[in-house]
Amino acid sequence: MTAPKLKVKKGDTVMVISGKNAGKKGKVLDVLPRENKVLVEGVNMVKRHQRPTQAMPQGGIIDKEAPLHVSNVMVMCNKCDAPVRVGRQESGTGGRVRYCKKCGNVLD
Ligand SMILES: [Zn+2]
């Protein structure tokens, strides 16, 4: 079984468009296709209690990103410099590429 294709990929820059983090931008650190969620660098930080490790013998509380639902983010187009809708089209070489629906810029 293949995971459903998300329009967001690891390494994309996305903007959060709804929820308490709306307006924040960040790089996609990871994509969780089964849950339709993405981890965005510096967005949706939560406090996590850390068990003591050799590096941090006291343990402690660290800030960590929590996943966001993919419907709450939009991919940034570097040409439009704005969050845009993403389409898919044949690349001409048999594959499919993502493109910006606003300016046509290929994102892959
Ligand atoms: Zn664009």
Side-chain angles (χ1 to χ4, degrees):
M1 192 190 114
T2 54
K5 284 260 179 184
L6 297 183
K7 290 196 172 164
V8 180
K9 274 188 175 178
K10 205 165 165 176
D12 282 350
T13 300
V14 295
M15 183 181 274
V16 183
I17 49 156
S18 62
K20 64 177 173 155
N21 293 294
K24 285 191 185 172
K25 276 195 275 185
K27 202 172 121 189
V28 176
L29 296 176
D30 210 357
V31 178
L32 312 166
R34 283 158 191 261
E35 299 159 62
N36 277 312
K37 286 183 174 174
V38 291
L39 267 185
V40 184
E41 189 171 37
V43 176
N44 207 26
M45 303 302 285
V46 291
K47 303 265 184 216
R48 285 275 163 83
H49 292 270
Q50 182 88 329
R51 285 175 178 217
T53 60
Q54 278 195 336
M56 262 204 291
Q58 307 295 321
I61 297 170
I62 54 162
D63 289 318
K64 205 171 183 284
E65 289 90 356
L68 292 163
H69 199 268
V70 74
S71 65
N72 289 338
V73 304
M74 282 179 93
V75 176
M76 292 290 296
C77 170
N78 52 20
K79 233 174 170 180
C80 299
D81 195 27
V84 295
R85 287 181 185 280
V86 172
R88 282 179 187 279
Q89 65 186 8
E90 304 296 326
S91 68
T93 54
R96 285 164 84 76
V97 292
R98 298 175 307 155
Y99 68 98
C100 166
K101 282 193 174 174
K102 210 167 170 182
C103 71
N105 187 30
V106 172
L107 301 169
D108 285 309

